[in-house]
Amino acid sequence: ARDSGSVRLAMRPRRWPAVLAAAAVVGFAVIGGVMWIGRQTPHSANQFVDLLISDFEHFEEKGRPLQIASSDPSAVSSWLADQTALVVALPRLNDRDGKLLGARKCKINGKPAAFAIYDLGGTLASLVVVAGPHPDIDVMERVEQDGHIHWVDRCKGHTVLACKRGALVYAAVSTLPEERLFPLMANAER
C-alpha cells in the first residue's frame, strides 16, 4: 500500500506544470476576451444614429472622398440638390465656428442623402440631410437652443445632433460635443 501511495505522490508533481499551464492559458484567454470586449464601442439603440455614425466613419476610413470641394454653401447646396433631389440649405459659418470643405451624395438606409463636411477648429463634422419623417429622432434626448428644438444622441465616441426643417431632417455627426455642432443647425438658411 505504501508503494502505491508513493507512486501517486510521485506522479502528482508532474501534473502540476500541465495544470498550471492550462490554467494560465485559460486565464489569458479570459483576460484577453474581457479587454477585447472593453475596446468594442457600444452601438446606439437608435438605428438612425448608428447609420449616421457608420457613414461618417466610412467617410474617414476611405480617405475622406468628396465629390465637390468648395467652401461656398450656395454652390454646394446647388450641387447637392442636383445630385440628391434634396433642397438643402447649408449654414454659412464664420471663421471662428468652422469652414465648409465640400460634399458628396450618399445613402442612409437606402434613401438618398446629402452629406456636407465641415472643419470645426481642426475636427471634422458631417452634416447629413435626409427626407423625413424619421421617428427615430423623436426618441433621442430633446434639447433646446435659441428657441429651436433639437435632438441629441452620443454613441461610439460620437455626437449626433439633429433637427427637423420642414420635410427634411438635418443631422450633424462629430466627435465634438453638441455645443460645437449647434452652428451647423442654427444658421441653416431657410
Side-chain angles (χ1 to χ4, degrees):
R2 241 185 201 176
D3 288 338
S4 64
S6 298
V7 169
R8 273 189 239 146
L9 288 176
M11 290 180 67
R12 281 190 185 153
R14 290 185 202 150
R15 288 185 186 166
W16 279 110
V19 171
L20 287 175
V25 168
V26 170
F28 284 123
V30 168
I31 290 170
V34 168
M35 290 176 68
W36 181 80
I37 290 170
R39 284 195 313 264
Q40 301 303 304
T41 53
H43 291 283
S44 171
N46 188 319
Q47 181 187 12
F48 183 60
V49 169
D50 271 340
L51 290 171
L52 291 169
I53 292 172
S54 293
D55 189 56
F56 183 75
E57 290 175 334
H58 178 76
F59 170 76
E60 289 188 308
E61 289 168 6
K62 292 295 181 188
R64 304 174 181 176
L66 294 172
Q67 293 170 313
I68 179 174
S70 174
S71 61
D72 180 1
S74 297
V76 174
S77 293
S78 293
W79 184 87
L80 285 168
D82 288 343
Q83 298 297 313
T84 65
L86 297 170
V87 180
V88 177
L90 295 177
R92 293 191 179 276
L93 300 181
N94 60 41
D95 291 336
R96 180 181 48 88
D97 288 332
K99 179 182 177 181
L100 174 63
L101 300 177
R104 67 182 178 91
K105 62 181 179 176
C106 66
K107 288 192 175 186
I108 300 292
N109 207 18
K111 295 181 178 179
F115 181 101
I117 196 77
Y118 290 83
D119 180 332
L120 304 181
T123 302
L124 291 182
S126 67
L127 181 60
V128 179
V129 182
V130 293
H134 275 278
D136 288 357
I137 71 168
D138 292 327
V139 298
M140 296 166 64
E141 178 186 340
R142 186 177 164 146
V143 293
E144 190 171 332
Q145 174 75 12
D146 298 329
H148 298 284
I149 302 299
H150 300 83
W151 290 267
V152 67
D153 197 343
R154 295 164 204 87
C155 176
K156 297 169 61 173
H158 292 78
T159 302
V160 176
L161 180 68
C163 71
K164 298 175 185 176
R165 299 236 187 262
L168 300 177
V169 173
Y170 284 66
V173 181
S174 181
T175 56
L176 294 168
E178 65 263 22
E179 294 81 21
R180 293 289 312 278
L181 300 179
F182 279 119
L184 295 178
M185 302 286 130
N187 295 335
E189 299 171 349
R190 292 186 188 247

